Amino acid sequence: MDPKCQCLQLSDGHFIPVLGLGTYAPEEVPKSEALEATKYAIEIGFRHIDCAYLYQNEEQVGQAIRSKIADGTVRREDIFYTSKLWSTCLRPELVRPTLEKSLKNLQLDYVDLYIIHFPVAMKAMEKCKDAGLTKSIGVSNFNHKQLERILNKPGLKYKPVCNQVECHPYLNQSKLLDFCKSNDIVLVAFGALGSQRLKDWMNPSHPVLLDDPVLGAIAKKHKQTPALIALRYQLQRGVVVLAKSYNKRRIKENIQVLDFELTTEDMKAIDGLNRNIRYYD
């Protein structure tokens, strides 16, 4: 990994950069934007790229990664790439072929992290790790009880290294975070800025997180944006955070989250914003 990159160690010994680029975009967004955004993100220092077969842009994201390897910006081992097994491919016999489709689209030999949304395919995921197709395996949207079930599963060969969930100041997941930390599982936050207010994915009646006056006041004090305050909050809790944007100005702004710190008082104030609001239904 790039020495400038701040990382957390996973339970299997690999390292995950604490700040990742989210690459999901609605269908109407041209796929070429995923290519340009990923290339730019790598150029300015992002080393963690979060994608999925479902996003239908792995070909473009893979092209961006390979182009930055080809021009000497990074080596393959500098990039931490995450893909996900979607819920329609959970039958054990579909797991490896689905991952292999992702690798074909990416034109990469392996992914760094492969995530599932349900525990039923865990054995097949373990075989993908054994085959060298993924370095680590993780889960997404698991609650405390679901994690316990998988951790107590007889014959479990590799426990999940992470749990990717919606997490932001209005849904701070403090109990789940404590449980994950106690079991050496890294929490990865998606939706860390509330949402992009996409009608197909979220409840439009919820308040806009980045308009919150507490975040605004802390942002003003630190001469930062509310978005950077929301992202920094997660990093200081030991949470890996995904920042999703195709906008070059915002991508450049987001990486500045590594350049400042919040005070203990700031963190307590943001903790107090928790309302258990889920943007992604």
Side-chain angles (χ1 to χ4, degrees):
M1 287 293 169
D2 190 299
K4 295 177 292 185
C5 186
Q6 297 181 30
C7 300
L8 291 178
Q9 186 168 13
L10 300 170
S11 61
D12 61 4
H14 296 297
F15 289 84
I16 183 170
V18 296
L19 178 66
L21 176 76
T23 61
Y24 172 77
E27 286 185 8
E28 61 268 21
V29 176
K31 302 302 179 190
S32 60
E33 292 196 20
L35 169 63
E36 294 306 317
T38 305
K39 284 170 64 177
Y40 180 71
I42 293 171
E43 286 167 6
I44 65 167
F46 275 84
R47 296 294 179 262
H48 176 178
I49 311 297
D50 183 89
C51 197
Y53 181 75
L54 179 78
Y55 300 172
Q56 297 180 22
N57 60 9
E58 284 195 310
E59 184 177 340
Q60 290 76 21
V61 172
Q63 185 181 344
I65 293 170
R66 296 193 320 277
S67 74
K68 292 292 100 186
I69 293 171
D71 71 10
T73 302
V74 291
R75 300 165 300 169
R76 171 63 186 93
E77 56 265 33
D78 296 326
I79 296 294
F80 189 97
Y81 182 85
T82 299
S83 190
K84 306 175 190 77
L85 179 72
W86 197 240
S87 54
T88 54
C89 304
L90 288 174
R91 295 208 315 271
E93 66 271 20
L94 296 179
V95 174
R96 179 167 176 164
T98 303
L99 175 52
E100 287 173 335
K101 283 180 186 176
S102 282
L103 292 171
K104 184 178 180 181
N105 288 337
L106 292 160
Q107 294 186 42
L108 296 176
D109 295 329
Y110 65 91
V111 299
D112 295 274
L113 175 63
Y114 203 41
I115 287 175
I116 54 169
H117 295 272
F118 302 96
V120 293
M122 206 58 194
K123 283 286 184 189
M125 294 284 285
E126 290 177 336
K127 289 178 181 177
C128 288
K129 178 174 167 67
D130 285 337
L133 302 178
T134 182
K135 288 190 171 184
S136 303
I137 53 178
V139 297
S140 178
N141 299 319
F142 275 40
N143 61 33
H144 179 157
K145 290 183 179 179
Q146 289 170 321
L147 281 173
E148 278 193 326
R149 279 203 296 271
I150 205 165
L151 291 172
N152 294 326
K153 191 178 178 69
L156 182 71
K157 189 173 184 180
Y158 306 117
K159 75 176 184 180
V161 298
C162 73
N163 185 20
Q164 187 179 121
V165 297
E166 179 181 352
C167 187
H168 45 75
Y170 285 173
L171 181 71
N172 68 22
Q173 303 276 20
S174 58
K175 290 182 179 178
L176 182 61
L177 176 58
D178 288 344
F179 178 81
C180 286
K181 284 183 175 180
S182 70
N183 286 278
D184 203 13
I185 296 171
V186 170
L187 198 73
V188 180
F190 71 79
L193 302 180
S195 80
Q196 292 180 318
R197 308 195 77 75
L198 303 172
K199 65 182 185 300
D200 293 337
W201 289 87
M202 55 87 56
N203 186 332
S205 67
H206 289 327
V208 178
L209 173 67
L210 298 184
D211 289 346
D212 189 277
V214 173
L215 290 180
I218 296 172
K220 186 176 181 181
K221 180 176 78 171
H222 289 275
K223 297 181 180 179
Q224 303 290 347
T225 63
L228 281 176
I229 300 303
L231 295 175
R232 184 68 207 182
Y233 169 69
Q234 301 293 3
L235 297 188
Q236 289 186 213
R237 303 168 76 216
V239 173
V240 171
V241 65
L242 304 176
K244 181 169 59 181
S245 182
Y246 281 5
N247 181 293
K248 287 187 176 181
R249 180 183 61 79
R250 291 199 194 100
I251 292 171
K252 188 174 183 179
E253 174 189 297
N254 288 340
I255 204 165
Q256 294 169 12
V257 73
L258 303 173
D259 298 336
F260 72 99
E261 289 190 7
L262 298 173
T263 66
T264 302
E265 291 73 22
D266 295 334
M267 293 295 290
K268 286 180 179 176
I270 301 171
D271 281 339
L273 296 179
N274 187 49
R275 308 182 191 180
N276 291 318
I277 288 177
R278 292 186 183 274
Y279 287 100
Y280 294 85
D281 291 337

